C-alpha cells in the first residue's frame, strides 16, 4: 500500500475535525488574551493585578516576599516544562512503534487503519505538546528577565523607580501570557488525543475543551473574586 492509499483513510470528517480544532484553539486564545465584548477574562484581570503588584513593590521593604513569589512562578514553569518534555519524549518513542495501538484498536473495534495513520494522529498531539514546551521555556526566561529588572528598581518613590517597576510588570505579564499559552496547548493536546477514536470524538473533545477554557476564564468563581476591588488599569 503506497502513501496515497494510506492517507485515503482520512476523509472529510477528519478535515472538518482538524479545522474545528484549529479554529477553536485560535479563537479561545484571542478571547482569553483580549476579552470579549468588554468582558475581561481571568488572564486580563490578572494582568491588572500584576501591574498593581509592581506599583506596591516600589514601597515594599524588604523585598524578600516579591523575590519568593517570582521564584515560585519560575518553579511552576520549570515543573510544566519538565513534565511536557517527558510526555513529548514518550510520544516520540511511540511514533513508529504503533503495534500496541493497533492491538488496542482491534480490542475496541476501532477503524482498521495502517500504522501511518496512527502516527499522524499521534503527531498532532505532539505538535501541541512541543508548542507547550516552547512556551514554558520562554515563560521561564521572561520571568528571569523580570527578576533582573525588579532588582534594578531603586529604593525610593522617584519617577525612575516607577518607570522601572512598570517595565518589570510588562515583562511579568508577557511571561504569564506565554505560560498560559503553554497550558492551553496542553488542554488541546489532551483533546486531540480523542482523534484516536475517530473524527466525531475529536469534534466532541474540541467543543468540550473550548467550553472548559471559556468557563474558567469568563464564568468561574475565581473571576468573580478577582473582579472585587479590581486594581485600576
Amino acid at each position: 500500500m503506497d502513501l496515497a492509499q494510506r492517507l485515503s483513510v482520512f476523509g472529510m470528517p477528519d478535515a472538518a475535525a482538524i479545522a474545528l480544532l484549529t479554529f477553536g484553539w485560535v479563537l479561545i486564545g484571542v478571547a482569553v488574551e483580549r476579552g470579549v465584548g468588554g468582558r475581561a477574562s481571568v488572564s486580563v484581570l490578572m494582568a491588572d493585578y500584576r501591574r498593581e503588584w509592581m506599583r506596591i513593590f516600589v514601597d515594599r521593604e524588604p523585598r524578600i516576599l516579591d523575590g519568593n513569589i517570582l521564584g515560585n512562578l519560575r518553579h511552576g514553569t520549570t515543573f510544566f516544562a519538565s513534565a511536557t518534555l517527558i510526555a513529548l519524549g514518550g510520544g516520540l518513542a511511540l511514533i513508529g512503534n504503533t503495534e500496541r495501538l493497533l492491538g488496542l484498536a482491534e480490542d475496541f473495534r476501532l477503524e482498521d487503519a495502517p500504522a501511518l495513520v496512527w502516527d499522524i494522529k499521534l503527531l498532532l498531539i505532539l505538535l501541541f505538546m512541543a508548542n507547550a514546551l516552547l512556551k514554558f521555556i520562554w515563560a521561564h526566561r521572561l520571568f528571569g528577565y523580570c527578576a533582573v529588572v525588579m532588582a534594578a528598581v531603586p529604593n525610593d518613590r522617584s519617577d525612575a523607580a516607577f518607570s522601572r517597576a512598570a517595565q518589570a510588570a510588562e515583562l511579568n505579564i508577557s511571561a504569564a501570557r506565554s505560560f498560559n499559552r503553554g497550558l492551553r496547548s496542553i488542554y488541546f493536546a489532551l483533546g486531540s488525543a480523542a482523534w484516536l477514536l475517530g473524527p466525531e470524538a475529536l469534534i466532541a473533545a474540541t467543543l468540550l475543551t473550548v467550553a472548559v477554557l471559556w468557563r474558567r476564564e469568563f464564568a468561574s468563581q475565581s473571576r468573580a473574586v478577582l473582579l472585587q476591588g479590581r486594581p485600576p488599569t
Side-chain angles (χ1 to χ4, degrees):
M1 182 182 295
D2 59 20
L3 180 61
Q5 290 177 321
R6 293 177 181 180
L7 294 180
S8 65
V9 176
F10 296 112
M12 287 303 299
D14 293 287
I18 295 299
L20 178 63
L21 180 71
T22 304
F23 179 74
W25 181 40
V26 173
L27 181 64
I28 194 64
V30 173
V32 166
E33 294 181 4
R34 299 184 181 180
V36 178
R39 183 179 176 86
S41 65
V42 169
S43 297
V44 173
L45 293 174
M46 284 304 301
D48 295 337
Y49 279 94
R50 291 174 191 276
R51 294 187 180 97
E52 182 70 8
W53 171 20
M54 289 299 107
R55 284 192 288 266
I56 295 174
F57 167 75
V58 173
D59 293 323
R60 199 189 324 268
E61 190 64 39
R63 297 173 174 176
I64 297 176
L65 172 64
D66 307 281
N68 288 338
I69 294 173
L70 194 61
N72 288 333
L73 293 175
R74 295 196 75 188
H75 288 321
T77 58
T78 301
F79 169 78
F80 278 100
S82 300
T84 304
L85 184 60
I86 293 173
L88 192 59
L92 289 173
L94 188 58
I95 286 184
N97 186 27
T98 53
E99 289 81 5
R100 293 184 179 181
L101 280 178
L102 292 174
L104 187 64
E106 293 177 358
D107 293 338
F108 284 92
R109 301 182 182 277
L110 300 178
E111 59 184 285
D112 184 16
L116 177 63
V117 172
W118 295 100
D119 288 340
I120 292 175
K121 292 183 175 183
L122 287 173
L123 184 61
L124 177 63
I125 303 173
L126 295 182
L127 287 175
F128 279 113
M129 296 302 293
N131 182 71
L133 176 61
L134 294 175
K135 296 300 182 184
F136 290 140
I137 292 174
W138 184 235
H140 186 271
R141 190 167 187 177
L142 285 174
F143 278 129
Y145 294 161
C146 179
V148 173
V149 176
M150 287 172 63
V153 176
N155 290 312
D156 56 58
R157 292 183 56 83
S158 64
D159 292 340
F162 283 102
S163 176
R164 195 70 71 196
Q167 287 180 296
E170 295 307 314
L171 285 172
N172 199 303
I173 292 169
S174 295
R177 185 185 304 116
S178 184
F179 180 77
N180 290 334
R181 288 174 178 175
L183 288 180
R184 285 198 300 275
S185 290
I186 290 180
Y187 275 98
F188 277 93
L190 293 174
S192 62
W195 197 19
L196 296 172
L197 302 177
E200 296 82 4
L202 178 58
I203 291 174
T206 298
L207 295 176
L208 178 61
T209 301
V210 172
V212 169
L213 288 171
W214 180 274
R215 181 192 174 279
R216 293 185 176 181
E217 289 287 341
F218 293 98
S220 62
Q221 183 179 1
S222 57
R223 181 182 182 277
V225 172
L226 291 172
L227 282 171
Q228 300 173 8
R230 178 182 178 182
T233 57

